[in-house]
């Protein structure tokens, strides 16, 4: 299990911050035209500062203020009047896989419906791949994400679906992120098609035991054709018993019990949320971001929306406006995977959220940064305030608005991760 921080409470600034090469000395980023801090002032959730500067020391944000008041630093980066944002936090991605499902995509574009059955195709290719092949795929996609401004990413297993391949998927994922998720309950593999109870027993027993040392979270695809509420509850409870935090794939293909189950179990996030009842929305609204328990731990259950999946499957988009108007905490993520959402671009998802899901640009940017951090119960990322990790992006644009206003344009000029230019 990852060190420093654990699923039972939010990660706080400094919890998992380690010295990294290149972070010695201080760095001043100044002449910022628009700085998105996510401070959350009333009426301005992005906490925008203009004519701003930001000081980085030891991989953390040390100071934020006006350029004219900027302190001295060892090094300086001139933003040239551009916008600076927190690095994107992609809280839902499936990067450990082998093979290609382009033909499946072409079939969908020709009119075939998406059912989730193609997951088994990827399982076969992943089981046959070497560690080196899987590692190369994760590395390639992680590098794509970083170039597009994603500085924090969650990575799931779920294409092994046996003890050895689930464990090695998570072991490889842990080389690239601290937020790894055990998704042995993605679908029931072909060899257990007539014995789903036996498969659930294996997931809860030897598979969980092998996977847990490399995981921070546990997830279940609670959906028709995958796992029903009883099986999902049993699997998630077993994960909780060994200290894993809960996430749920919920209500993607139709109405179902996933959202209610996630709220019942205190899940950090329920993801997809395409088909929701009024009761689902009420349940999520009861666990929004301003709910805190006595110990100060987040009790929020975030609705993580994945518009890349709807784009790729020609399915209805989630009604983000309905969620936001009800006070639900919303995140955006890519759902990067080889079948239903083969995109690594958070800017693309922001543009889709604004155009297709009726989010404002500010809501979409918040959801792709602070919202993603809330979905991972992290407070050290997704914001640019003193004590946060110095993960930031400089746009080739004067405002965050351009991320939706200029879709498909490579607007990320520079990325700093842990205060280091990438």
């Amino acid at each position: 299990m990852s060190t420093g921080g654990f699923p039972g409470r939010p990660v706080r600034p400094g919890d998992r911050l380690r010295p990294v090469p290149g972070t010695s000395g201080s760095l001043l980023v100044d002449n910022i035209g628009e700085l998105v801090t996510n401070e959350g002032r009333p009426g301005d959730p992005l906490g925008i500062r203009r004519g701003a500067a930001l000081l980085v020391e030891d991989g953390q944000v040390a100071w934020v203020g006006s350029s004219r008041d900027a302190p001295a630093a060892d090094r300086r980066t001139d933003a040239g009047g551009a916008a600076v944002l927190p690095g994107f936090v992609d809280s839902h991605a499936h990067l450990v896989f082998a093979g290609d499902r382009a033909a499946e995509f072409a079939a969908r574009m020709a009119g075939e419906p998406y059912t989730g059955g193609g997951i088994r195709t990827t399982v076969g290719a992943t089981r046959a791949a070497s560690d080196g092949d899987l590692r190369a795929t994760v590395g390639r996609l992680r590098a794509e994400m970083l170039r597009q401004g994603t500085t924090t990413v969650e990575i799931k297993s779920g294409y092994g679906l046996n003890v050895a391949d689930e464990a090695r998927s998570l072991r490889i994922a842990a080389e690239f992120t601290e937020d790894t998720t055990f998704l042995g309950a993605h679908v029931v593999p072909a060899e257990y098609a007539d014995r789903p109870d036996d498969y659930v027993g294996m997931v809860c027993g030897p598979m969980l035991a092998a996977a847990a040392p490399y995981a921070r979270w546990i997830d279940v695809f609670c959906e028709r054709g995958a796992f029903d509420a009883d099986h999902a509850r049993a699997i998630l409870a077993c994960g909780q018993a060994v200290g894993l935090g809960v996430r749920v794939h919920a209500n993607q293909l139709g109405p179902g019990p996933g959202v209610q189950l996630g709220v019942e179990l205190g899940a950090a996030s329920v993801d997809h949320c395409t088909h929701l009842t009024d009761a689902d929305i009420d349940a999520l609204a009861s666990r929004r971001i301003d709910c805190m328990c006595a110990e100060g731990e987040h009790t929020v259950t975030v609705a993580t929306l994945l518009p890349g999946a709807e784009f790729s499957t020609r399915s209805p988009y989630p009604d983000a406006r309905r969620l936001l108007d009800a006070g639900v905490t919303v995140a955006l993520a890519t759902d990067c995977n080889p079948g239903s959402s083969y995109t690594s671009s958070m800017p693309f998802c922001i543009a889709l959220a604004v155009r297709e899901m009726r989010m404002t640009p500010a809501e979409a940017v918040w959801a792709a940064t602070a919202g993603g951090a809330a979905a991972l119960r992290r407070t050290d990322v997704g914001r640019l305030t003193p004590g946060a990790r110095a993960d930031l992006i400089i746009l080739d644009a004067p405002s965050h608005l351009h991320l939706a206003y200029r879709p498909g344009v490579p607007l990320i000029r520079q990325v700093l991760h842990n205060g280091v230019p990438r």
Side-chain angles (χ1 to χ4, degrees):
M1 191 168 300
S2 60
T3 57
F6 52 91
R9 67 167 176 82
V11 177
R12 299 186 176 91
D15 271 353
R16 293 189 285 183
L17 197 61
R18 300 181 181 90
V20 295
T23 61
S24 59
S26 56
L27 169 67
L28 181 70
V29 183
D30 70 351
N31 196 17
I32 300 170
E34 176 187 275
L35 176 63
V36 172
T37 67
N38 286 340
E39 288 178 294
R41 296 192 296 264
D44 178 20
L46 296 185
I48 290 175
R49 291 173 175 260
R50 304 191 188 280
L54 177 150
L55 182 69
V56 175
E57 291 181 340
D58 299 323
Q60 290 182 292
V61 177
W63 174 90
V64 173
S66 170
S67 280
R68 64 177 177 271
D69 300 324
D74 299 313
R75 293 168 291 135
R76 175 178 177 269
T77 292
D78 186 341
V84 172
L85 287 72
F88 300 125
V89 180
D90 189 344
S91 60
H92 185 127
H94 306 251
L95 305 189
V96 189
F97 65 85
D100 184 290
R101 282 158 62 187
E104 178 188 318
F105 172 79
R108 286 200 303 271
M109 296 305 101
E112 292 188 15
Y114 176 71
T115 64
I119 291 169
R120 292 184 178 89
T121 302
T122 301
V123 169
T126 302
R127 288 176 175 178
S130 69
D131 285 11
D133 289 340
L134 295 179
R135 186 175 290 110
T137 296
V138 180
R140 171 177 61 83
L141 292 170
R142 184 67 189 94
E144 276 185 13
M145 290 178 162
L146 193 59
R147 289 195 300 271
Q148 297 173 94
T150 297
T151 50
T152 300
V153 61
E154 179 257 20
I155 302 177
K156 302 179 189 294
S157 66
Y159 293 123
L161 306 189
N162 60 35
V163 173
D165 288 306
E166 283 297 298
R168 76 164 176 151
S169 293
L170 286 161
R171 175 172 47 80
I172 291 168
E175 297 173 16
F176 295 88
T177 184
E178 295 168 296
D179 280 293
T180 52
T181 298
F182 170 45
L183 184 58
H186 202 177
V187 295
V188 177
E191 61 268 31
Y192 281 88
D194 298 324
R195 298 180 292 134
D197 290 345
D198 290 347
Y199 184 69
V200 170
M202 184 176 71
V203 172
C204 290
M207 191 184 289
L208 176 60
Y214 306 105
R216 183 178 181 229
W217 304 96
I218 188 168
D219 196 347
V220 172
F221 191 20
C222 183
E223 196 72 62
R224 68 175 186 263
F227 296 88
D228 64 21
D230 290 339
H231 281 160
R233 181 182 287 104
I235 292 165
L236 294 171
C238 288
Q240 284 182 311
V242 298
L244 301 184
V246 171
R247 323 184 71 71
V248 185
H249 280 62
N251 300 57
Q252 178 188 6
L253 304 179
V259 166
Q260 299 282 346
L261 178 62
V263 171
E264 172 194 328
L265 296 178
S269 181
V270 290
D271 299 21
H272 287 289
C273 296
T274 309
H275 300 275
L276 299 180
T277 65
D278 289 344
D280 293 331
I281 291 176
D282 289 345
L284 288 166
S286 73
R287 296 179 62 83
R288 60 193 181 191
I289 202 164
D290 57 0
C291 292
M292 300 290 287
C293 68
E295 294 79 17
E297 298 173 2
H298 285 287
T299 59
V300 61
T301 295
V302 175
T304 298
L305 308 183
L306 310 169
E310 280 72 40
F311 177 87
S312 181
T313 61
R314 281 190 172 158
S315 300
Y317 286 91
D319 191 345
R321 188 77 265 139
R322 187 177 169 209
L323 287 162
L324 290 162
D325 289 348
V328 176
T329 303
V330 171
L332 288 174
T334 63
D335 192 20
C336 184
N337 75 83
S340 61
S341 184
Y342 202 6
T343 180
S344 56
S345 174
M346 288 290 276
F348 174 63
C349 292
I350 288 170
L352 284 179
V354 172
R355 173 63 181 83
E356 302 293 344
M357 302 194 317
R358 299 193 300 144
M359 296 180 79
T360 68
E363 288 168 341
V365 166
W366 191 94
T369 52
L376 295 175
R377 293 192 172 163
R378 301 271 303 258
T379 59
D380 59 333
V381 296
R383 62 187 180 92
L384 291 175
T385 55
R389 201 165 74 179
D391 290 352
L392 62 90
I393 54 179
I394 303 175
L395 298 185
D396 242 338
S399 169
H400 71 280
L401 298 172
H402 285 238
L403 290 166
Y405 176 48
R406 305 195 67 206
V409 177
L411 292 179
I412 309 302
R413 181 198 303 171
Q414 186 173 7
V415 179
L416 269 67
H417 183 41
N418 278 319
V420 180
R422 304 291 184 177

